Amino acid sequence: MPFITKQFKFCAAHKYWNDNWTESKNIEIFEDDVKVHGHNYELDITLSGHINEESGFVVNISKLKHVVNKYVVNILDHTEIQKDIKWFSGKQPSTENLVLFIWEQIFDRIPDGAKLYKIKLRETPTIYTEYFGPHMEIK
Amino acid sequence: MPFITKQFKFCAAHKYWNDNWTESKNIEIFEDDVKVHGHNYELDITLSGHINEESGFVVNISKLKHVVNKYVVNILDHTEIQKDIKWFSGKQPSTENLVLFIWEQIFDRIPDGAKLYKIKLRETPTIYTEYFGPHMEIK
Amino acid sequence: MPFITKQFKFCAAHKYWNDNWTESKNIEIFEDDVKVHGHNYELDITLSGHINEESGFVVNISKLKHVVNKYVVNILDHTEIQKDIKWFSGKQPSTENLVLFIWEQIFDRIPDGAKLYKIKLRETPTIYTEYFGPHMEIK
Amino acid sequence: MPFITKQFKFCAAHKYWNDNWTESKNIEIFEDDVKVHGHNYELDITLSGHINEESGFVVNISKLKHVVNKYVVNILDHTEIQKDIKWFSGKQPSTENLVLFIWEQIFDRIPDGAKLYKIKLRETPTIYTEYFGPHMEIK
Amino acid sequence: MPFITKQFKFCAAHKYWNDNWTESKNIEIFEDDVKVHGHNYELDITLSGHINEESGFVVNISKLKHVVNKYVVNILDHTEIQKDIKWFSGKQPSTENLVLFIWEQIFDRIPDGAKLYKIKLRETPTIYTEYFGPHMEIK
Amino acid sequence: MPFITKQFKFCAAHKYWNDNWTESKNIEIFEDDVKVHGHNYELDITLSGHINEESGFVVNISKLKHVVNKYVVNILDHTEIQKDIKWFSGKQPSTENLVLFIWEQIFDRIPDGAKLYKIKLRETPTIYTEYFGPHMEIK
């Protein structure tokens, strides 16, 4: 079983703010991130599955692109995440939360019987988060 | 005379909107960019100058970093450009305008007798703008 | 006048062969390149022009994409260059010839009064060719 | 036990076609890939093993290069994969099949008692396939 | 449980030499690496942990930077590793040994209850080593 | 006339020290660089020339590789520059001086009638120097 990865990109803005905290606590924890800023996000979707002998593919990439564009890229691209996406109400727009959101959006929609294995979201050239789903736990 | 380049990075948000245009004209021209979104900007500052024989340097990079951080990075990083930076009032926050702004901010402040030769600002992995100053014209 | 660059990508195959040469001369000069192989090409199109004050743009990137996709990417992508593209009949499918072909294809079609300044075509991570047009000559 | 990875590169052409399908089915599934095109492949070979205390190495990279160049790079580089490599007769030249081929070619030839852990093959900047061998299965 | 990665960089020199070997054996095994040379190292630190609901973070990156800079980057940067770092006395300055050293330096100091999951150290664009700690063994 | 660029790589160590200065002056100017450290250098050699119609090439890359490997890479790779290379006696091993050295080494040896146009030497991901030869001056 090989694992195949397709990368997607989107540009979004965000800021961090916790209404339950004082202003100084927000600044202490979130530092400059309390101000609106943005990123070129790079999203790697990794699937596992058996190779279809007739096509040589684990998954039809065109179908995968349709799903990820419809349920993730078109929703997050050109937004101010914490303000425009309802799921983030009461949550911080961190990459840690974003991978959970993205997992929920596509987990049940992977085409061709393939299985979502990993989501990797790069926020900056030096920071990224990976997620293997709610059932994966490191011993 | 060698040319030396030092790269800087900042993260900012922006949106495009021209108050003199109708909403439909704004959407026709700016498309999705009428909505707040953001980028990981990569800024390359290129200087030319004579090599100081004692140090082997065209410029002391620590001094250059001080100037560019103070007058560019600390001003643009973690902002919503067109809203937070006064220079952009009445101007669009395009990379074309950003390189003009950055040129003005540092042109007179280059240390060690070196000369600002080029500013390159990358907005996304596939789009960047270069500027050689107001006196450079292609024949 | 800033210079704005937009990157495009295409995948193509090619092989080198000069019918006027013996087989051993072909192998001496072209080495392994006498066999069909291929590349992920990266094409950077650089334009210069005045900034439109209303839009902040030198050029509308959507219009530029339309031109380059129609006259370059859609023509070269998924081809065996020297076999499928008539322009290359009697010419080798080198990056040196490719940049001439691409220049001819788009030079008269740059939108918004901007001017084609440079074409850069990367064939591999360590080899690329740049072209500034037929009138540019290094003294 | 650390894991050490060495990257290799090769350039190859390929096209997809299933003789058991109609032309329109081939085009429906493979789209533009029914035409000859090519890629700059990047191949990451990851090994695990104990560190030799005298050399500090898991594996002698020169020996590994000898094996991978002889049994993989020299065989795939500058070919039209599905036409030139017998293993691909009756199979599609997908990255999914390529990693299986590469695994078979080197699995028994890893030097210094190290063990082949993973093969990663990047076909384009946004698509790659990983393979951990025939015995690895995601629960 | 997401995994979050932060990249660090340092520049260091090293050479390989085993005092228990003859000169010719040293040259046979280490080749050119018996001479002092150096690298731009890229160090990826990957942590796993539960998301703090109030901050949206697995770990406060500022705290992690403090730890890794103090115990790794400031110690290895601008050194000749095998000569300047006591831990490497009697050991070769390979990436395989470096990841063990780095693991020991930070394993007990990860902030916010997060857990060190992986260290990845890239020595050149084509060679890197990963380490998951002393208890991780591939079956 | 197109410009063709081929990239080379080498790994070297260096340190900065001016014997005419006091220790504290050395540390003030060179900071951490007074200590031995190293880099993965990336060297881009750019040539201009007319396209040979029979081969489609400005230059035979194999011949260029022979020259640059013999006169640059094999000399600088796996050295401590200021100590091992005589040219640097009394000079600092900065990228500014390195591009002058490299220019002298290859300027008269470019094959096939092509002309050396530019040398670009990247020392770190964020610092590089370009050199167009002793006769090029910015007005």
Side-chain angles (χ1 to χ4, degrees), chain C residues 9-76:
Chain C
K9 293 184 174 71
F10 59 91
C11 300
H14 67 171
K15 71 168 188 181
Y16 290 75
W17 191 266
N18 186 327
D19 287 332
N20 301 321
W21 292 349
T22 60
E23 182 173 351
S24 68
K25 168 97 185 195
N26 270 289
I27 289 168
E28 181 203 329
I29 301 298
F30 295 132
E31 304 175 34
D32 265 5
D33 288 348
V34 298
K35 299 188 282 181
V36 174
H37 62 285
H39 302 290
N40 303 325
Y41 289 93
E42 292 177 4
L43 170 65
D44 284 18
I45 302 295
T46 301
L47 309 179
S48 66
H50 292 284
I51 303 177
N52 178 315
E53 290 199 10
E54 289 191 308
S55 68
F57 293 149
V58 162
V59 71
N60 182 309
I61 294 276
S62 293
K63 288 194 213 163
L64 177 65
K65 283 162 71 173
H66 177 76
V67 166
V68 178
N69 283 327
K70 181 167 179 188
Y71 293 101
V72 180
V73 174
N74 293 352
I75 288 171
L76 290 169

Side-chain angles (χ1 to χ4, degrees), chain B residues 9-130:
Chain B
K9 293 184 173 72
F10 59 90
C11 300
H14 65 170
K15 71 168 191 181
Y16 290 74
W17 191 266
N18 187 327
D19 288 331
N20 301 321
W21 292 350
T22 61
E23 181 173 351
S24 69
K25 169 97 183 196
N26 271 289
I27 290 168
E28 180 202 330
I29 301 298
F30 295 132
E31 304 174 32
D32 265 4
D33 288 347
V34 298
K35 298 190 281 181
V36 175
H37 62 286
H39 302 291
N40 302 325
Y41 288 93
E42 292 177 3
L43 170 65
D44 285 18
I45 302 295
T46 301
L47 309 179
S48 66
H50 292 285
I51 302 178
N52 178 314
E53 290 198 9
E54 290 192 307
S55 68
F57 292 148
V58 163
V59 72
N60 183 310
I61 294 276
S62 293
K63 287 195 214 162
L64 177 66
K65 283 162 72 173
H66 177 77
V67 166
V68 178
N69 283 328
K70 181 166 179 188
Y71 294 101
V72 179
V73 174
N74 293 352
I75 290 171
L76 289 169
D77 193 36
H78 283 71
T79 65
E80 188 178 337
I81 297 169
Q82 85 290 343
K83 202 167 114 185
D84 297 337
I85 313 287
K86 214 168 113 181
W87 192 92
F88 286 88
S89 139
K91 295 198 191 73
Q92 300 304 328
S94 60
T95 51
E96 290 95 323
N97 280 329
L98 276 159
V99 292
L100 267 65
F101 169 72
I102 295 167
W103 187 277
E104 289 182 16
Q105 289 291 104
I106 61 171
F107 179 70
D108 288 337
R109 295 171 167 131
I110 303 299
D112 293 341
K115 199 175 151 190
L116 181 58
Y117 173 68
K118 183 171 80 163
I119 283 170
K120 176 179 175 182
L121 183 64
R122 181 178 289 278
E123 190 183 77
T124 74
T126 69
I127 298 181
Y128 63 85
T129 292
E130 294 164 296

Side-chain angles (χ1 to χ4, degrees), chain B residues 1-9 44 46 48 50-62 115 117-118 120 139, chain F residues 16 18 20-21 28-31 33 90 92 94-97 99-100 125-133 136-139:
Chain B
M1 292 219 317
F3 296 69
I4 186 151
T5 299
K6 171 68 187 167
Q7 186 175 90
F8 297 83
K9 293 184 173 72
D44 285 18
T46 301
S48 66
H50 292 285
I51 302 178
N52 178 314
E53 290 198 9
E54 290 192 307
S55 68
F57 292 148
V58 163
V59 72
N60 183 310
I61 294 276
S62 293
K115 199 175 151 190
Y117 173 68
K118 183 171 80 163
K120 176 179 175 182
K139 283 144 288 183
Chain F
Y16 290 75
N18 187 326
N20 301 322
W21 291 351
E28 180 203 330
I29 301 298
F30 295 132
E31 304 175 31
D33 287 347
Q92 301 305 327
S94 60
T95 51
E96 289 95 324
N97 280 328
V99 292
L100 267 66
T126 69
I127 297 182
Y128 63 85
T129 292
E130 294 163 296
Y131 186 54
F132 296 80
M136 205 275 194
E137 192 92 19
I138 297 300
K139 283 142 290 182

